[in-house]
Structures are given as structure tokens and as C-alpha cells.
Amino acid sequence: MPCIYISTNLNLDGIDTDPIFSEVTTAISTIIGRPEKFVMVLLKSSVPISFEGNKEPAAYAEIISMGGINKEVKRKLIATIGTILQSKLAIPRTRFFVKVFDTTAFPTQSKI
């Protein structure tokens, strides 16, 4: 199940966030290749974020998935989500950072 957790320093009270949830869900589903019903989106606003020494609109996201992420997918995710946040919340793509993590990228070693 892919999950994205987006934090922003913007106050989203009174803003219709449904289009953001919808577009991000569709983008992740399409890019990673998982059904939309398995994509989880968390959006947290009013998080104290300072970037470049100022508090202009910015966002940080973490994307976690069990498989389906390679170098090309990572690039597409960052570009697409950045574009969505820029168009919906006016957060410049240069003030958006993403951590992408594939839980299957590192084999686990059993202690048994």
C-alpha cells in the first residue's frame, strides 16, 4: 500500500482540499501501478517549516511503498506531486522536498 504524508506550513482551514487528495491519489496510483483504493494520503497543515531562512509557502512529503519504486518512478512522483502542490496551493516546486522509500529495497535478515 503506497502512503504519502504531506506537511505544509500553510493554513488550510477553509480551503477545499478534496481536489488535492483526489489528484495525489490518482497520480500515485498511476505512477506506482497500484489501485487507487490502496493509496493513503495524509495532509497536515500549519506545520512550522522554515526553508531558506523564511516561512514562505513550503512542503515536505514522505512517500512509502512496498515495491514499485525505482529511479524513474521516484522522479515522476516528485515532479507530479510538486506540480499538484504548486497548482493547488501555490507552493513553488523549489520549496517542496520529498523522501521516497521502498520497503522492499532492502532485504531483511531473520534472526531465527
Side-chain angles (χ1 to χ4, degrees), residues 44-76:
K44 185 168 183 168
S45 66
S46 301
V47 175
I49 297 175
S50 173
F51 178 62
E52 295 180 345
N54 63 58
K55 298 198 178 187
E56 293 175 16
Y60 171 77
E62 292 184 2
I63 301 171
I64 301 168
S65 180
M66 292 175 64
I69 296 180
N70 58 31
K71 192 175 187 178
E72 181 182 332
V73 167
K74 186 184 288 191
R75 286 182 182 159
K76 286 181 184 178

Side-chain angles (χ1 to χ4, degrees), residues 21-86:
F21 283 103
S22 176
E23 287 186 33
V24 169
T25 298
T26 300
I28 290 175
S29 171
T30 302
I31 295 168
I32 295 180
R34 301 284 192 267
E36 286 188 19
K37 67 181 183 177
F38 294 126
V39 177
M40 180 185 291
V41 178
L42 294 94
L43 178 61
K44 185 168 183 168
S45 66
S46 301
V47 175
I49 297 175
S50 173
F51 178 62
E52 295 180 345
N54 63 58
K55 298 198 178 187
E56 293 175 16
Y60 171 77
E62 292 184 2
I63 301 171
I64 301 168
S65 180
M66 292 175 64
I69 296 180
N70 58 31
K71 192 175 187 178
E72 181 182 332
V73 167
K74 186 184 288 191
R75 286 182 182 159
K76 286 181 184 178
L77 286 169
I78 293 168
T80 304
I81 307 244
T83 300
I84 293 169
L85 294 179
Q86 185 170 18

